[in-house]
Amino acid sequence: MKCPKCRARMYAEKYYDFVRSFDAWKCCSCGELLDPTIVANRARNNQHFLG
């Protein structure tokens, strides 16, 4: 997978919360973090027309 910000390589990583754990993608270069919630929120926000 390639990072949407810098196009560098991303790797899968497991994160732990107080209640649950989840998988996300992290960029080797810039540190961008993507999980299903972040992707859904960005897709929803990009559908709004601001002009």
mmCIF file of all heavy atoms in Angstrom:
data_model
loop_
_atom_site.group_PDB
_atom_site.id
_atom_site.type_symbol
_atom_site.label_atom_id
_atom_site.label_comp_id
_atom_site.label_asym_id
_atom_site.label_seq_id
_atom_site.Cartn_x
_atom_site.Cartn_y
_atom_site.Cartn_z
ATOM 1 N N MET A 1 0.849 -1.175 0.000
ATOM 2 C CA MET A 1 0.000 0.000 0.000
ATOM 3 C C MET A 1 0.891 1.233 0.000
ATOM 4 O O MET A 1 1.931 1.254 0.638
ATOM 5 C CB MET A 1 -0.907 -0.024 1.223
ATOM 6 C CG MET A 1 -1.848 1.116 1.304
ATOM 7 S SD MET A 1 -3.112 0.798 2.528
ATOM 8 C CE MET A 1 -4.021 2.277 2.375
ATOM 9 N N LYS A 2 0.460 2.269 -0.697
ATOM 10 C CA LYS A 2 1.223 3.515 -0.762
ATOM 11 C C LYS A 2 0.509 4.603 0.017
ATOM 12 O O LYS A 2 -0.708 4.697 0.023
ATOM 13 C CB LYS A 2 1.400 3.946 -2.211
ATOM 14 C CG LYS A 2 2.245 2.980 -2.983
ATOM 15 C CD LYS A 2 3.013 3.678 -4.041
ATOM 16 C CE LYS A 2 3.820 2.645 -4.777
ATOM 17 N NZ LYS A 2 5.169 2.953 -4.881
ATOM 18 N N CYS A 3 1.283 5.450 0.652
ATOM 19 C CA CYS A 3 0.765 6.552 1.458
ATOM 20 C C CYS A 3 0.085 7.590 0.562
ATOM 21 O O CYS A 3 0.657 7.997 -0.451
ATOM 22 C CB CYS A 3 1.919 7.207 2.223
ATOM 23 S SG CYS A 3 1.434 8.646 3.181
ATOM 24 N N PRO A 4 -1.118 8.042 0.929
ATOM 25 C CA PRO A 4 -1.784 9.062 0.122
ATOM 26 C C PRO A 4 -1.115 10.437 0.210
ATOM 27 O O PRO A 4 -1.306 11.269 -0.663
ATOM 28 C CB PRO A 4 -3.202 9.112 0.696
ATOM 29 C CG PRO A 4 -3.092 8.532 2.053
ATOM 30 C CD PRO A 4 -1.948 7.576 2.022
ATOM 31 N N LYS A 5 -0.312 10.676 1.229
ATOM 32 C CA LYS A 5 0.369 11.975 1.375
ATOM 33 C C LYS A 5 1.681 12.027 0.604
ATOM 34 O O LYS A 5 1.900 12.932 -0.190
ATOM 35 C CB LYS A 5 0.677 12.243 2.851
ATOM 36 C CG LYS A 5 -0.445 12.791 3.659
ATOM 37 C CD LYS A 5 0.013 12.919 5.086
ATOM 38 C CE LYS A 5 -0.239 14.290 5.610
ATOM 39 N NZ LYS A 5 0.133 14.394 7.026
ATOM 40 N N CYS A 6 2.564 11.052 0.855
ATOM 41 C CA CYS A 6 3.924 11.129 0.307
ATOM 42 C C CYS A 6 4.267 9.993 -0.652
ATOM 43 O O CYS A 6 5.370 9.957 -1.180
ATOM 44 C CB CYS A 6 4.934 11.167 1.443
ATOM 45 S SG CYS A 6 5.057 9.621 2.369
ATOM 46 N N ARG A 7 3.359 9.058 -0.856
ATOM 47 C CA ARG A 7 3.545 7.924 -1.772
ATOM 48 C C ARG A 7 4.629 6.941 -1.334
ATOM 49 O O ARG A 7 5.107 6.138 -2.124
ATOM 50 C CB ARG A 7 3.837 8.388 -3.195
ATOM 51 C CG ARG A 7 2.772 9.259 -3.785
ATOM 52 C CD ARG A 7 1.566 8.451 -4.089
ATOM 53 N NE ARG A 7 0.548 9.275 -4.735
ATOM 54 C CZ ARG A 7 -0.731 9.192 -4.451
ATOM 55 N NH1 ARG A 7 -1.151 8.355 -3.552
ATOM 56 N NH2 ARG A 7 -1.602 9.961 -5.071
ATOM 57 N N ALA A 8 5.016 6.996 -0.068
ATOM 58 C CA ALA A 8 5.990 6.031 0.455
ATOM 59 C C ALA A 8 5.255 4.742 0.847
ATOM 60 O O ALA A 8 4.031 4.657 0.805
ATOM 61 C CB ALA A 8 6.713 6.614 1.657
ATOM 62 N N ARG A 9 5.991 3.763 1.274
ATOM 63 C CA ARG A 9 5.446 2.464 1.652
ATOM 64 C C ARG A 9 4.741 2.539 2.998
ATOM 65 O O ARG A 9 5.204 3.203 3.923
ATOM 66 C CB ARG A 9 6.600 1.466 1.729
ATOM 67 C CG ARG A 9 6.191 0.075 2.002
ATOM 68 C CD ARG A 9 7.396 -0.854 1.861
ATOM 69 N NE ARG A 9 7.048 -2.172 2.312
ATOM 70 C CZ ARG A 9 7.364 -2.656 3.507
ATOM 71 N NH1 ARG A 9 8.086 -1.942 4.324
ATOM 72 N NH2 ARG A 9 6.996 -3.855 3.855
ATOM 73 N N MET A 10 3.617 1.831 3.126
ATOM 74 C CA MET A 10 2.894 1.748 4.396
ATOM 75 C C MET A 10 2.917 0.300 4.877
ATOM 76 O O MET A 10 3.009 -0.625 4.070
ATOM 77 C CB MET A 10 1.447 2.219 4.231
ATOM 78 C CG MET A 10 1.341 3.684 3.873
ATOM 79 S SD MET A 10 -0.353 4.256 3.833
ATOM 80 C CE MET A 10 -0.556 4.746 5.548
ATOM 81 N N TYR A 11 2.851 0.119 6.174
ATOM 82 C CA TYR A 11 2.825 -1.219 6.738
ATOM 83 C C TYR A 11 1.686 -1.325 7.745
ATOM 84 O O TYR A 11 1.232 -0.338 8.312
ATOM 85 C CB TYR A 11 4.173 -1.569 7.392
ATOM 86 C CG TYR A 11 4.568 -0.645 8.522
ATOM 87 C CD1 TYR A 11 4.248 -0.964 9.837
ATOM 88 C CD2 TYR A 11 5.273 0.528 8.279
ATOM 89 C CE1 TYR A 11 4.618 -0.124 10.879
ATOM 90 C CE2 TYR A 11 5.640 1.368 9.307
ATOM 91 C CZ TYR A 11 5.311 1.032 10.603
ATOM 92 O OH TYR A 11 5.672 1.868 11.624
ATOM 93 N N ALA A 12 1.195 -2.544 7.938
ATOM 94 C CA ALA A 12 0.096 -2.798 8.865
ATOM 95 C C ALA A 12 0.635 -2.851 10.289
ATOM 96 O O ALA A 12 1.708 -3.404 10.545
ATOM 97 C CB ALA A 12 -0.596 -4.101 8.520
ATOM 98 N N GLU A 13 -0.114 -2.273 11.205
ATOM 99 C CA GLU A 13 0.277 -2.266 12.611
ATOM 100 C C GLU A 13 -0.973 -2.412 13.469
ATOM 101 O O GLU A 13 -2.039 -1.927 13.109
ATOM 102 C CB GLU A 13 0.988 -0.948 12.917
ATOM 103 C CG GLU A 13 1.741 -0.963 14.224
ATOM 104 C CD GLU A 13 2.665 0.236 14.354
ATOM 105 O OE1 GLU A 13 2.230 1.362 14.071
ATOM 106 O OE2 GLU A 13 3.818 0.036 14.759
ATOM 107 N N LYS A 14 -0.854 -3.075 14.592
ATOM 108 C CA LYS A 14 -1.975 -3.278 15.498
ATOM 109 C C LYS A 14 -1.867 -2.263 16.643
ATOM 110 O O LYS A 14 -0.797 -2.073 17.209
ATOM 111 C CB LYS A 14 -1.967 -4.696 16.060
ATOM 112 C CG LYS A 14 -3.203 -5.029 16.870
ATOM 113 C CD LYS A 14 -3.203 -6.464 17.286
ATOM 114 C CE LYS A 14 -4.232 -7.349 16.742
ATOM 115 N NZ LYS A 14 -5.224 -7.131 15.873
ATOM 116 N N TYR A 15 -2.998 -1.612 16.932
ATOM 117 C CA TYR A 15 -3.065 -0.621 18.003
ATOM 118 C C TYR A 15 -4.043 -1.089 19.061
ATOM 119 O O TYR A 15 -5.009 -1.789 18.757
ATOM 120 C CB TYR A 15 -3.507 0.741 17.451
ATOM 121 C CG TYR A 15 -2.448 1.375 16.593
ATOM 122 C CD1 TYR A 15 -2.407 1.140 15.224
ATOM 123 C CD2 TYR A 15 -1.476 2.181 17.144
ATOM 124 C CE1 TYR A 15 -1.430 1.712 14.434
ATOM 125 C CE2 TYR A 15 -0.488 2.757 16.359
ATOM 126 C CZ TYR A 15 -0.487 2.516 15.008
ATOM 127 O OH TYR A 15 0.486 3.072 14.233
ATOM 128 N N TYR A 16 -3.803 -0.681 20.291
ATOM 129 C CA TYR A 16 -4.633 -1.105 21.411
ATOM 130 C C TYR A 16 -5.220 0.110 22.114
ATOM 131 O O TYR A 16 -4.522 1.075 22.397
ATOM 132 C CB TYR A 16 -3.803 -1.925 22.408
ATOM 133 C CG TYR A 16 -3.258 -3.183 21.785
ATOM 134 C CD1 TYR A 16 -1.990 -3.217 21.240
ATOM 135 C CD2 TYR A 16 -4.026 -4.333 21.734
ATOM 136 C CE1 TYR A 16 -1.484 -4.365 20.656
ATOM 137 C CE2 TYR A 16 -3.540 -5.496 21.154
ATOM 138 C CZ TYR A 16 -2.272 -5.503 20.625
ATOM 139 O OH TYR A 16 -1.789 -6.641 20.040
ATOM 140 N N ASP A 17 -6.510 0.031 22.366
ATOM 141 C CA ASP A 17 -7.240 1.045 23.098
ATOM 142 C C ASP A 17 -7.545 0.461 24.480
ATOM 143 O O ASP A 17 -7.177 -0.665 24.774
ATOM 144 C CB ASP A 17 -8.536 1.352 22.328
ATOM 145 C CG ASP A 17 -9.203 2.622 22.777
ATOM 146 O OD1 ASP A 17 -8.750 3.207 23.773
ATOM 147 O OD2 ASP A 17 -10.182 3.025 22.129
ATOM 148 N N PHE A 18 -8.221 1.193 25.327
ATOM 149 C CA PHE A 18 -8.595 0.659 26.633
ATOM 150 C C PHE A 18 -9.601 -0.476 26.511
ATOM 151 O O PHE A 18 -9.644 -1.369 27.343
ATOM 152 C CB PHE A 18 -9.182 1.763 27.515
ATOM 153 C CG PHE A 18 -8.171 2.780 27.928
ATOM 154 C CD1 PHE A 18 -8.175 4.043 27.376
ATOM 155 C CD2 PHE A 18 -7.197 2.472 28.863
ATOM 156 C CE1 PHE A 18 -7.245 4.987 27.745
ATOM 157 C CE2 PHE A 18 -6.250 3.399 29.241
ATOM 158 C CZ PHE A 18 -6.276 4.665 28.682
ATOM 159 N N VAL A 19 -10.410 -0.445 25.459
ATOM 160 C CA VAL A 19 -11.496 -1.406 25.310
ATOM 161 C C VAL A 19 -11.243 -2.416 24.199
ATOM 162 O O VAL A 19 -11.617 -3.565 24.298
ATOM 163 C CB VAL A 19 -12.828 -0.656 25.024
ATOM 164 C CG1 VAL A 19 -13.973 -1.619 24.839
ATOM 165 C CG2 VAL A 19 -13.119 0.324 26.142
ATOM 166 N N ARG A 20 -10.572 -2.001 23.130
ATOM 167 C CA ARG A 20 -10.443 -2.856 21.951
ATOM 168 C C ARG A 20 -9.076 -2.692 21.300
ATOM 169 O O ARG A 20 -8.295 -1.841 21.683
ATOM 170 C CB ARG A 20 -11.537 -2.512 20.942
ATOM 171 C CG ARG A 20 -11.410 -1.100 20.428
ATOM 172 C CD ARG A 20 -12.546 -0.709 19.507
ATOM 173 N NE ARG A 20 -12.416 0.685 19.140
ATOM 174 C CZ ARG A 20 -11.915 1.115 17.992
ATOM 175 N NH1 ARG A 20 -11.511 0.258 17.093
ATOM 176 N NH2 ARG A 20 -11.834 2.397 17.735
ATOM 177 N N SER A 21 -8.845 -3.519 20.308
ATOM 178 C CA SER A 21 -7.653 -3.368 19.477
ATOM 179 C C SER A 21 -8.114 -3.204 18.029
ATOM 180 O O SER A 21 -9.202 -3.628 17.656
ATOM 181 C CB SER A 21 -6.741 -4.576 19.613
ATOM 182 O OG SER A 21 -7.365 -5.726 19.102
ATOM 183 N N PHE A 22 -7.287 -2.566 17.214
ATOM 184 C CA PHE A 22 -7.639 -2.370 15.819
ATOM 185 C C PHE A 22 -6.379 -2.327 14.972
ATOM 186 O O PHE A 22 -5.291 -2.029 15.455
ATOM 187 C CB PHE A 22 -8.478 -1.096 15.617
ATOM 188 C CG PHE A 22 -7.795 0.170 16.052
ATOM 189 C CD1 PHE A 22 -7.103 0.948 15.141
ATOM 190 C CD2 PHE A 22 -7.847 0.589 17.375
ATOM 191 C CE1 PHE A 22 -6.477 2.119 15.540
ATOM 192 C CE2 PHE A 22 -7.223 1.752 17.785
ATOM 193 C CZ PHE A 22 -6.543 2.522 16.871
ATOM 194 N N ASP A 23 -6.548 -2.651 13.703
ATOM 195 C CA ASP A 23 -5.445 -2.632 12.749
ATOM 196 C C ASP A 23 -5.490 -1.338 11.961
ATOM 197 O O ASP A 23 -6.563 -0.813 11.661
ATOM 198 C CB ASP A 23 -5.544 -3.813 11.784
ATOM 199 C CG ASP A 23 -5.351 -5.132 12.504
ATOM 200 O OD1 ASP A 23 -4.459 -5.194 13.363
ATOM 201 O OD2 ASP A 23 -6.081 -6.087 12.207
ATOM 202 N N ALA A 24 -4.312 -0.821 11.633
ATOM 203 C CA ALA A 24 -4.219 0.401 10.841
ATOM 204 C C ALA A 24 -2.975 0.313 9.972
ATOM 205 O O ALA A 24 -2.107 -0.529 10.182
ATOM 206 C CB ALA A 24 -4.142 1.616 11.757
ATOM 207 N N TRP A 25 -2.912 1.196 8.977
ATOM 208 C CA TRP A 25 -1.744 1.315 8.111
ATOM 209 C C TRP A 25 -0.946 2.532 8.536
ATOM 210 O O TRP A 25 -1.509 3.588 8.774
ATOM 211 C CB TRP A 25 -2.177 1.469 6.661
ATOM 212 C CG TRP A 25 -2.787 0.230 6.092
ATOM 213 C CD1 TRP A 25 -4.115 -0.082 6.061
ATOM 214 C CD2 TRP A 25 -2.099 -0.859 5.506
ATOM 215 N NE1 TRP A 25 -4.291 -1.299 5.481
ATOM 216 C CE2 TRP A 25 -3.061 -1.804 5.127
ATOM 217 C CE3 TRP A 25 -0.757 -1.129 5.264
ATOM 218 C CZ2 TRP A 25 -2.727 -3.005 4.508
ATOM 219 C CZ3 TRP A 25 -0.425 -2.320 4.651
ATOM 220 C CH2 TRP A 25 -1.402 -3.239 4.283
ATOM 221 N N LYS A 26 0.382 2.391 8.634
ATOM 222 C CA LYS A 26 1.256 3.486 9.027
ATOM 223 C C LYS A 26 2.344 3.663 7.975
ATOM 224 O O LYS A 26 2.928 2.703 7.499
ATOM 225 C CB LYS A 26 1.891 3.215 10.383
ATOM 226 C CG LYS A 26 2.665 4.397 10.896
ATOM 227 C CD LYS A 26 3.067 4.228 12.336
ATOM 228 C CE LYS A 26 3.772 5.476 12.827
ATOM 229 N NZ LYS A 26 4.152 5.371 14.206
ATOM 230 N N CYS A 27 2.618 4.917 7.626
ATOM 231 C CA CYS A 27 3.620 5.236 6.615
ATOM 232 C C CYS A 27 5.024 5.173 7.224
ATOM 233 O O CYS A 27 5.266 5.691 8.314
ATOM 234 C CB CYS A 27 3.353 6.620 6.037
ATOM 235 S SG CYS A 27 4.569 7.126 4.808
ATOM 236 N N CYS A 28 5.948 4.576 6.491
ATOM 237 C CA CYS A 28 7.342 4.487 6.935
ATOM 238 C C CYS A 28 8.033 5.843 6.910
ATOM 239 O O CYS A 28 8.958 6.083 7.675
ATOM 240 C CB CYS A 28 8.122 3.544 6.030
ATOM 241 S SG CYS A 28 7.615 1.844 6.130
ATOM 242 N N SER A 29 7.597 6.731 6.039
ATOM 243 C CA SER A 29 8.282 7.994 5.839
ATOM 244 C C SER A 29 7.691 9.138 6.667
ATOM 245 O O SER A 29 8.375 9.747 7.474
ATOM 246 C CB SER A 29 8.251 8.356 4.358
ATOM 247 O OG SER A 29 8.935 9.549 4.133
ATOM 248 N N CYS A 30 6.403 9.438 6.460
ATOM 249 C CA CYS A 30 5.818 10.624 7.104
ATOM 250 C C CYS A 30 5.009 10.315 8.362
ATOM 251 O O CYS A 30 4.633 11.225 9.093
ATOM 252 C CB CYS A 30 4.939 11.388 6.107
ATOM 253 S SG CYS A 30 3.392 10.569 5.675
ATOM 254 N N GLY A 31 4.708 9.040 8.620
ATOM 255 C CA GLY A 31 3.974 8.677 9.827
ATOM 256 C C GLY A 31 2.462 8.755 9.707
ATOM 257 O O GLY A 31 1.754 8.605 10.690
ATOM 258 N N GLU A 32 1.938 8.984 8.490
ATOM 259 C CA GLU A 32 0.490 9.012 8.264
ATOM 260 C C GLU A 32 -0.126 7.710 8.761
ATOM 261 O O GLU A 32 0.409 6.628 8.554
ATOM 262 C CB GLU A 32 0.212 9.194 6.768
ATOM 263 C CG GLU A 32 -1.225 9.061 6.368
ATOM 264 C CD GLU A 32 -2.059 10.290 6.661
ATOM 265 O OE1 GLU A 32 -1.548 11.250 7.268
ATOM 266 O OE2 GLU A 32 -3.227 10.304 6.282
ATOM 267 N N LEU A 33 -1.263 7.812 9.445
ATOM 268 C CA LEU A 33 -1.942 6.660 10.019
ATOM 269 C C LEU A 33 -3.339 6.572 9.433
ATOM 270 O O LEU A 33 -4.070 7.565 9.430
ATOM 271 C CB LEU A 33 -2.013 6.809 11.541
ATOM 272 C CG LEU A 33 -2.554 5.637 12.316
ATOM 273 C CD1 LEU A 33 -1.570 4.487 12.263
ATOM 274 C CD2 LEU A 33 -2.792 6.043 13.755
ATOM 275 N N LEU A 34 -3.705 5.402 8.904
ATOM 276 C CA LEU A 34 -5.025 5.194 8.315
ATOM 277 C C LEU A 34 -5.658 3.946 8.902
ATOM 278 O O LEU A 34 -5.047 2.886 8.910
ATOM 279 C CB LEU A 34 -4.926 5.024 6.798
ATOM 280 C CG LEU A 34 -4.459 6.214 5.997
ATOM 281 C CD1 LEU A 34 -4.304 5.824 4.537
ATOM 282 C CD2 LEU A 34 -5.423 7.368 6.137
ATOM 283 N N ASP A 35 -6.886 4.094 9.398
ATOM 284 C CA ASP A 35 -7.692 2.961 9.824
ATOM 285 C C ASP A 35 -9.075 3.130 9.192
ATOM 286 O O ASP A 35 -9.346 4.157 8.563
ATOM 287 C CB ASP A 35 -7.736 2.846 11.343
ATOM 288 C CG ASP A 35 -8.534 3.935 12.031
ATOM 289 O OD1 ASP A 35 -8.992 4.864 11.369
ATOM 290 O OD2 ASP A 35 -8.695 3.853 13.255
ATOM 291 N N PRO A 36 -9.955 2.148 9.286
ATOM 292 C CA PRO A 36 -11.262 2.255 8.635
ATOM 293 C C PRO A 36 -12.074 3.484 9.070
ATOM 294 O O PRO A 36 -12.777 4.082 8.250
ATOM 295 C CB PRO A 36 -11.972 0.966 9.034
ATOM 296 C CG PRO A 36 -10.867 -0.002 9.265
ATOM 297 C CD PRO A 36 -9.748 0.811 9.851
ATOM 298 N N THR A 37 -11.970 3.898 10.307
ATOM 299 C CA THR A 37 -12.709 5.070 10.774
ATOM 300 C C THR A 37 -12.183 6.348 10.125
ATOM 301 O O THR A 37 -12.959 7.201 9.686
ATOM 302 C CB THR A 37 -12.614 5.187 12.310
ATOM 303 O OG1 THR A 37 -13.090 3.981 12.898
ATOM 304 C CG2 THR A 37 -13.411 6.359 12.829
ATOM 305 N N ILE A 38 -10.877 6.498 10.048
ATOM 306 C CA ILE A 38 -10.277 7.679 9.427
ATOM 307 C C ILE A 38 -10.657 7.745 7.951
ATOM 308 O O ILE A 38 -11.043 8.802 7.446
ATOM 309 C CB ILE A 38 -8.742 7.661 9.596
ATOM 310 C CG1 ILE A 38 -8.371 7.844 11.058
ATOM 311 C CG2 ILE A 38 -8.090 8.740 8.738
ATOM 312 C CD1 ILE A 38 -6.909 7.607 11.366
ATOM 313 N N VAL A 39 -10.573 6.616 7.252
ATOM 314 C CA VAL A 39 -10.909 6.582 5.829
ATOM 315 C C VAL A 39 -12.373 6.948 5.612
ATOM 316 O O VAL A 39 -12.701 7.730 4.724
ATOM 317 C CB VAL A 39 -10.577 5.198 5.232
ATOM 318 C CG1 VAL A 39 -11.102 5.061 3.824
ATOM 319 C CG2 VAL A 39 -9.077 4.947 5.272
ATOM 320 N N ALA A 40 -13.280 6.422 6.436
ATOM 321 C CA ALA A 40 -14.713 6.719 6.301
ATOM 322 C C ALA A 40 -14.990 8.198 6.565
ATOM 323 O O ALA A 40 -15.767 8.826 5.847
ATOM 324 C CB ALA A 40 -15.519 5.848 7.251
ATOM 325 N N ASN A 41 -14.368 8.763 7.583
ATOM 326 C CA ASN A 41 -14.576 10.178 7.894
ATOM 327 C C ASN A 41 -14.044 11.089 6.789
ATOM 328 O O ASN A 41 -14.680 12.081 6.442
ATOM 329 C CB ASN A 41 -13.925 10.551 9.224
ATOM 330 C CG ASN A 41 -14.678 9.999 10.401
ATOM 331 O OD1 ASN A 41 -15.858 9.698 10.317
ATOM 332 N ND2 ASN A 41 -13.984 9.856 11.519
ATOM 333 N N ARG A 42 -12.904 10.764 6.235
ATOM 334 C CA ARG A 42 -12.355 11.574 5.141
ATOM 335 C C ARG A 42 -13.229 11.477 3.893
ATOM 336 O O ARG A 42 -13.447 12.473 3.208
ATOM 337 C CB ARG A 42 -10.928 11.139 4.818
ATOM 338 C CG ARG A 42 -9.951 11.568 5.869
ATOM 339 C CD ARG A 42 -8.553 11.188 5.508
ATOM 340 N NE ARG A 42 -7.631 11.564 6.572
ATOM 341 C CZ ARG A 42 -6.349 11.249 6.585
ATOM 342 N NH1 ARG A 42 -5.814 10.569 5.585
ATOM 343 N NH2 ARG A 42 -5.586 11.622 7.591
ATOM 344 N N ALA A 43 -13.754 10.298 3.606
ATOM 345 C CA ALA A 43 -14.629 10.129 2.443
ATOM 346 C C ALA A 43 -15.916 10.923 2.643
ATOM 347 O O ALA A 43 -16.406 11.566 1.712
ATOM 348 C CB ALA A 43 -14.941 8.658 2.224
ATOM 349 N N ARG A 44 -16.461 10.912 3.837
ATOM 350 C CA ARG A 44 -17.693 11.648 4.124
ATOM 351 C C ARG A 44 -17.447 13.150 4.038
ATOM 352 O O ARG A 44 -18.261 13.885 3.490
ATOM 353 C CB ARG A 44 -18.214 11.284 5.514
ATOM 354 C CG ARG A 44 -19.529 11.942 5.846
ATOM 355 C CD ARG A 44 -19.999 11.565 7.212
ATOM 356 N NE ARG A 44 -18.929 11.822 8.161
ATOM 357 C CZ ARG A 44 -18.910 11.381 9.401
ATOM 358 N NH1 ARG A 44 -19.896 10.650 9.853
ATOM 359 N NH2 ARG A 44 -17.917 11.652 10.202
ATOM 360 N N ASN A 45 -16.324 13.639 4.555
ATOM 361 C CA ASN A 45 -16.018 15.068 4.529
ATOM 362 C C ASN A 45 -15.701 15.572 3.132
ATOM 363 O O ASN A 45 -15.926 16.734 2.830
ATOM 364 C CB ASN A 45 -14.863 15.389 5.475
ATOM 365 C CG ASN A 45 -15.266 15.261 6.921
ATOM 366 O OD1 ASN A 45 -16.442 15.340 7.259
ATOM 367 N ND2 ASN A 45 -14.289 15.055 7.786
ATOM 368 N N ASN A 46 -15.163 14.732 2.261
ATOM 369 C CA ASN A 46 -14.829 15.151 0.901
ATOM 370 C C ASN A 46 -16.055 15.271 0.012
ATOM 371 O O ASN A 46 -15.976 15.841 -1.064
ATOM 372 C CB ASN A 46 -13.828 14.184 0.271
ATOM 373 C CG ASN A 46 -12.443 14.395 0.823
ATOM 374 O OD1 ASN A 46 -12.116 15.450 1.336
ATOM 375 N ND2 ASN A 46 -11.617 13.355 0.745
ATOM 376 N N GLN A 47 -17.206 14.784 0.444
ATOM 377 C CA GLN A 47 -18.414 14.876 -0.350
ATOM 378 C C GLN A 47 -19.112 16.221 -0.212
ATOM 379 O O GLN A 47 -19.998 16.545 -0.978
ATOM 380 C CB GLN A 47 -19.381 13.760 0.034
ATOM 381 C CG GLN A 47 -18.892 12.395 -0.371
ATOM 382 C CD GLN A 47 -19.817 11.292 0.084
ATOM 383 O OE1 GLN A 47 -20.824 11.546 0.748
ATOM 384 N NE2 GLN A 47 -19.487 10.071 -0.253
ATOM 385 N N HIS A 48 -18.714 17.036 0.772
ATOM 386 C CA HIS A 48 -19.320 18.337 0.973
ATOM 387 C C HIS A 48 -18.714 19.354 0.006
ATOM 388 O O HIS A 48 -17.504 19.414 -0.168
ATOM 389 C CB HIS A 48 -19.111 18.822 2.416
ATOM 390 C CG HIS A 48 -19.798 17.965 3.416
ATOM 391 N ND1 HIS A 48 -21.164 17.972 3.576
ATOM 392 C CD2 HIS A 48 -19.333 17.079 4.320
ATOM 393 C CE1 HIS A 48 -21.491 17.122 4.526
ATOM 394 N NE2 HIS A 48 -20.392 16.559 4.993
ATOM 395 N N PHE A 49 -19.541 20.164 -0.594
ATOM 396 C CA PHE A 49 -19.090 21.201 -1.509
ATOM 397 C C PHE A 49 -18.971 22.511 -0.743
ATOM 398 O O PHE A 49 -19.918 22.947 -0.110
ATOM 399 C CB PHE A 49 -20.077 21.348 -2.675
ATOM 400 C CG PHE A 49 -19.667 22.386 -3.669
ATOM 401 C CD1 PHE A 49 -18.561 22.180 -4.490
ATOM 402 C CD2 PHE A 49 -20.356 23.567 -3.771
ATOM 403 C CE1 PHE A 49 -18.187 23.124 -5.412
ATOM 404 C CE2 PHE A 49 -19.987 24.529 -4.698
ATOM 405 C CZ PHE A 49 -18.903 24.305 -5.507
ATOM 406 N N LEU A 50 -17.789 23.097 -0.752
ATOM 407 C CA LEU A 50 -17.549 24.294 0.061
ATOM 408 C C LEU A 50 -17.506 25.571 -0.763
ATOM 409 O O LEU A 50 -16.918 26.556 -0.354
ATOM 410 C CB LEU A 50 -16.232 24.134 0.837
ATOM 411 C CG LEU A 50 -16.158 22.951 1.789
ATOM 412 C CD1 LEU A 50 -14.764 22.861 2.395
ATOM 413 C CD2 LEU A 50 -17.193 23.109 2.888
ATOM 414 N N GLY A 51 -18.079 25.633 -1.924
ATOM 415 C CA GLY A 51 -17.996 26.851 -2.692
ATOM 416 C C GLY A 51 -19.104 26.998 -3.588
ATOM 417 O O GLY A 51 -19.770 27.603 -4.139
#
